[in-house]
Amino acid sequence: QVPLVESGGGLVQPGGSLRLSCATSGLIFSINGMGWYRQAPGKQRELVARMARDGITNYADSVKGRFTISRDNDKNTLFLQMNSLKPEDTAVYYCNNYFAQYNWGKGTLVTVSP
């Protein structure tokens, strides 16, 4: 199995910020673009943001201007900076490669609530 370990979730008030991290192996990180996905209660998993190997990014319309995806190649870690959080951002957040081809990790829960 591919190691994908998400962290950084928590409870935050609307308008707040969180930074998620995803650690994986050097090999996986070096050969793949990477992405963040989320699954809200009762909904299907959806793409949040992804970054190709050349650094080109794309975002779901719902998070554009609020979320930023980045990666630290030296630490084999993917990040998601989430600002101006809204209750509708509440979900379990997962990382995977650019095309979501690997097994899913446990994810990290983000709860946005007053």
Side-chain angles (χ1 to χ4, degrees), residues 2-19:
V2 172
L4 296 166
V5 181
E6 304 90 349
S7 63
L11 174 64
V12 63
Q13 293 186 342
S17 298
L18 283 174
R19 189 193 196 203

Side-chain angles (χ1 to χ4, degrees), residues 63-113:
V63 307
K64 281 181 181 177
R66 300 188 297 122
F67 291 11
T68 303
I69 187 172
S70 62
R71 58 191 289 165
D72 185 330
N73 292 327
D74 292 335
K75 297 182 178 179
N76 303 323
T77 302
L78 183 73
F79 300 103
L80 185 68
Q81 179 66 43
M82 306 188 296
N83 299 328
S84 304
L85 282 161
K86 303 176 181 180
E88 51 263 44
D89 295 318
T90 295
V92 179
Y93 284 71
Y94 304 86
C95 65
N96 210 307
N97 76 342
Y98 196 83
F99 297 108
Q101 296 168 313
Y102 295 135
N103 53 282
W104 296 100
K106 294 182 178 180
T108 186
L109 176 62
V110 172
T111 304
V112 185
S113 180

Side-chain angles (χ1 to χ4, degrees), residues 9-85:
L11 174 64
V12 63
Q13 293 186 342
S17 298
L18 283 174
R19 189 193 196 203
L20 306 184
S21 299
C22 168
T24 188
S25 71
L27 174 62
I28 295 302
F29 212 70
S30 66
I31 66 173
N32 283 284
M34 298 292 294
W36 284 99
Y37 305 80
R38 69 185 179 186
Q39 186 167 20
K43 295 187 177 181
Q44 289 190 334
R45 188 176 283 135
E46 63 177 357
L47 172 69
V48 175
R50 57 185 180 181
M51 176 181 282
R53 290 182 63 192
D54 60 6
I56 294 176
T57 59
N58 60 78
Y59 296 89
D61 288 344
S62 60
V63 307
K64 281 181 181 177
R66 300 188 297 122
F67 291 11
T68 303
I69 187 172
S70 62
R71 58 191 289 165
D72 185 330
N73 292 327
D74 292 335
K75 297 182 178 179
N76 303 323
T77 302
L78 183 73
F79 300 103
L80 185 68
Q81 179 66 43
M82 306 188 296
N83 299 328
S84 304
L85 282 161

